[in-house]
Amino acid sequence: MKLLAIDTALSTCAAAVLTDDGESCDIVSQCEDLGRGHAERIMGMVASVMAESSTTFNSLDRIVVNVGPGSFTGLRVGLSIARGFGLVLEIPVVAVTTLAAIAGEALERVSVPKPVWVVLDARRDEIYCQKFDESGFPLEEAKVSTVKELSHILEEDTIIAGSAAQAVAEAAGIDPSRVCNEAAAASIDYIAKLGKNAERQNKAPMPLYLRAPDAVPGEKGKVRRR
């Protein structure tokens, strides 16, 4: 299998080509923390990893895209490009979430696999969170919560990963060793790995927003911030 993975969900802009011939799995990736400007940079990254891996578009078997949670603008950029490639190349486009990618990396980095809570800073004193089992399978739906709320329900035998992991650990008063600092953000390599085995869906991938946008229309078309 040969696939192209794209991630523009948060501040990171990344692309990767994964090649799996049944005996070995190789990944060529490129990643930059841009903050903004994903639309202007992502196609250059795609061209770079395609060239470095000696991959032609016609040889791709699928496209993988991070569907969030993330920024509204970033998610639209990645999904639009992924859907466009899928339509032109007539190959499936599969979704991987930011939360699942972080969980996958956290579980590979710990010595003994345990259930993992992935917690991301969502600003406005909120976090995006989701619990996964020892194999990376989601045990519940992704949701919006707060550090305080989640700190009250954390089980003792769990790992915490993601950009809000330290804050949750401190609020819960738990051992810092339960925090997987190496998995604070979604890695394009793990997005590609999860995308390789992701199930094909009958409909196009949709963004996982979890909450309303910070910017909403105001009077006479003006945009105001929440």
Side-chain angles (χ1 to χ4, degrees):
M1 173 180 285
K2 193 179 286 286
L3 63 81
L4 170 66
I6 295 170
D7 179 15
T8 59
L10 291 166
S11 64
T12 296
C13 185
V17 170
L18 179 149
T19 304
D20 187 342
D21 61 6
E23 297 182 359
S24 63
C25 182
D26 298 315
I27 301 177
V28 173
S29 60
Q30 188 172 345
C31 175
E32 293 181 23
D33 192 347
L34 298 178
R36 296 183 179 181
H38 297 70
E40 293 78 16
R41 188 71 185 93
I42 185 61
M43 290 305 295
M45 286 186 172
V46 169
S48 179
V49 295
M50 293 287 285
E52 187 177 346
S53 61
S54 300
T55 300
T56 63
F57 282 102
N58 287 334
S59 68
L60 292 172
D61 297 298
R62 62 172 48 185
I63 306 295
V64 181
V65 61
N66 184 354
V67 296
S71 74
F72 283 74
T73 301
L75 288 175
R76 286 196 295 270
V77 170
L79 281 164
S80 296
I81 292 172
R83 290 169 180 168
F85 280 142
L87 286 171
V88 172
L89 300 173
E90 297 183 337
I91 57 177
V93 179
V94 299
V96 171
T97 71
T98 307
L99 301 162
I102 293 175
E105 181 168 5
L107 289 168
E108 282 198 14
R109 290 185 177 275
V110 297
S111 55
V112 179
K114 297 179 180 180
V116 55
W117 273 100
V118 178
V119 290
L120 299 178
D121 181 7
R123 301 181 180 179
R124 297 188 298 186
D125 296 322
E126 293 179 334
I127 56 173
Y128 301 128
C129 58
Q130 189 172 21
K131 186 180 180 183
F132 298 81
D133 67 13
E134 298 89 337
S135 64
F137 183 82
L139 295 174
E140 58 180 61
E141 295 293 323
K143 63 182 180 181
V144 177
S145 184
T146 66
V147 169
K148 184 177 180 180
E149 289 173 350
L150 188 61
S151 68
H152 291 318
I153 63 171
L154 284 178
E155 303 86 345
E156 291 186 3
D157 197 31
T158 55
I159 303 163
I160 312 172
S163 59
Q166 288 287 356
V168 172
E170 291 175 5
I174 63 176
D175 191 331
S177 64
R178 288 172 54 188
V179 177
C180 183
N181 294 308
E182 297 86 354
S187 162
I188 189 63
D189 288 14
Y190 283 88
I191 291 171
K193 289 177 182 178
L194 291 179
K196 181 184 70 169
N197 298 316
E199 293 184 4
R200 295 178 55 175
Q201 298 178 324
N202 294 327
K203 57 182 180 180
M206 299 296 292
L208 180 64
Y209 287 134
L210 293 185
R211 73 179 187 191
D214 291 327
V216 296
E219 295 180 3
K220 297 182 179 180
K222 294 183 179 179
V223 174
R224 58 183 175 84
R225 297 285 175 178
R226 288 181 181 271

